[in-house]
């Protein structure tokens, strides 16, 4: 009997999927939003700053998934723009402290000095790299006293990928994006996308 109901339910799901002419609605059923636990309101929110960055290199998929697993209500991220106008999750305007850029000889000649918020900063700047180039780098821990075992394992992620991580969590998880250095970004970017809210 149980097997029969199970089969019936599967058939119903398949049929309703087929007859569903609205792609947005079928997308929504895949996300299963109605069955997710809503954001809790019985205590202050727990906001995971750059993901679980004490354990796993900051602002990577793994750091955000770990934070969600640990109960974060919101995942926080810094947002910068690439040379070709993609938004990425990254804190510093230079790549030096949290990626393997210094070891990447193909990019050695890309080091620059720019004025950022009234200070001269020298390094490899996010705005001088395309998304494809940035995706070829690997992220590492910012501080030596943190666990170094995940260095070199994860990529920089895009703003879109970050939104998907929150959207596909098994309960409601909020995003908390912070746009970094907007004056500097506007001085160096002509290709920024426009997000309609
Ligand atoms: C850069 O290369 C050195 C020498 O191979 C290595 O010890 C270091 O861990 C590398 N750094 C990064 C961030 O990949
Ligand atoms: C940055 O360096 C340039 C070139 O040396 C200099 O003209 C400028 O005054 C410096 N800016 C700051 C804020 O120190």
């Amino acid at each position: 009997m149980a097997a029969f109901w199970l089969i019936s339910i599967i058939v119903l799901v398949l049929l309703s999927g087929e007859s569903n002419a609205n792609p947005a609605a079928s997308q929504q059923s895949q996300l299963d939003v109605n069955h997710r636990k809503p954001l809790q309101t019985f205590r202050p929110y727990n906001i995971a700053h750059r993901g679980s960055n004490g354990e796993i290199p900051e602002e990577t998929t793994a750091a955000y998934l770990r934070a969600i697993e640990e109960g974060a209500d919101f995942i926080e991220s810094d947002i910068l723009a690439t040379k070709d106008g993609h938004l990425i999750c990254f804190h510093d305007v230079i790549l030096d402290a949290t990626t393997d850029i210094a070891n990447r000889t193909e990019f050695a000649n890309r080091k620059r000095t720019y004025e950022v918020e009234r200070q001269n900063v020298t390094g490899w700047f996010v705005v001088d790299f395309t998304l494809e180039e940035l995706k070829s780098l690997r992220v590492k821990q910012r501080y030596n006293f943190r666990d170094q075992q995940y260095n070199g394992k994860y990529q920089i992620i895009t703003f879109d990928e970050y939104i998907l991580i929150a959207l596909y969590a098994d309960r409601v998880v909020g995003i908390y994006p912070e746009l970094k250095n907007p004056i500097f970004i506007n001085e160096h970017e002509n290709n920024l996308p426009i997000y309609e809210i």
Side-chain angles (χ1 to χ4, degrees), residues 166-187:
L167 209 52
Y168 278 87
D170 58 2
R171 58 189 162 79
V172 173
V173 171
I175 60 165
Y176 196 130
E178 176 189 344
L179 191 61
K180 298 302 286 187
N181 306 91
I183 294 171
F184 175 78
I185 293 295
N186 281 335
E187 283 166 359

Side-chain angles (χ1 to χ4, degrees), residues 26-194:
S26 80
Q27 177 90 21
Q28 202 161 39
S29 68
Q30 276 168 25
L31 279 173
D32 199 18
V33 282
N34 295 329
H35 297 99
R36 287 194 299 185
K37 259 169 64 184
L39 199 59
Q40 61 76 21
T41 52
F42 64 91
R43 56 162 168 78
Y45 294 136
N46 179 348
I47 298 166
H49 180 240
R50 307 186 202 173
S52 189
N53 68 333
E55 291 174 84
I56 297 172
E58 64 188 49
E59 308 197 353
T60 58
T61 299
Y64 289 125
L65 290 178
R66 184 83 179 112
I68 292 169
E69 195 179 290
E70 290 168 334
D73 302 305
F74 285 81
I75 49 175
E76 189 266 1
S77 185
D78 303 290
I79 307 297
L80 284 169
T82 69
K83 184 179 180 179
D84 49 347
H86 294 276
L87 300 183
I88 58 162
C89 295
F90 207 78
H91 180 270
D92 301 352
V93 286
I94 56 172
L95 296 157
D96 305 38
T98 56
T99 74
D100 60 355
I101 188 72
N103 281 0
R104 300 290 297 270
T105 50
E106 71 270 40
F107 298 129
N109 64 1
R110 211 79 75 86
K111 201 169 183 170
R112 297 282 181 278
T113 299
Y114 295 135
E115 208 173 290
V116 185
E117 292 177 4
R118 295 181 294 282
Q119 282 190 342
N120 278 329
V121 176
T122 299
W124 286 273
F125 283 81
V126 167
V127 291
D128 288 334
F129 291 80
T130 64
L131 180 61
E132 194 182 346
E133 289 170 335
L134 292 169
K135 282 280 186 189
S136 78
L137 304 178
R138 291 296 176 271
V139 182
K140 70 177 179 84
Q141 263 298 357
R142 178 177 293 273
Y143 300 115
N144 290 336
F145 58 81
R146 287 182 179 161
D147 190 351
Q148 306 292 307
Q149 71 167 302
Y150 301 105
N151 291 355
K153 293 208 159 108
Y154 305 118
Q155 291 179 317
I156 292 172
I157 62 169
T158 63
F159 185 44
D160 299 39
E161 287 164 342
Y162 162 72
I163 293 171
L164 287 176
I165 293 168
L167 209 52
Y168 278 87
D170 58 2
R171 58 189 162 79
V172 173
V173 171
I175 60 165
Y176 196 130
E178 176 189 344
L179 191 61
K180 298 302 286 187
N181 306 91
I183 294 171
F184 175 78
I185 293 295
N186 281 335
E187 283 166 359
H188 288 261
E189 289 289 341
N190 301 309
N191 301 312
L192 287 179
I194 294 168

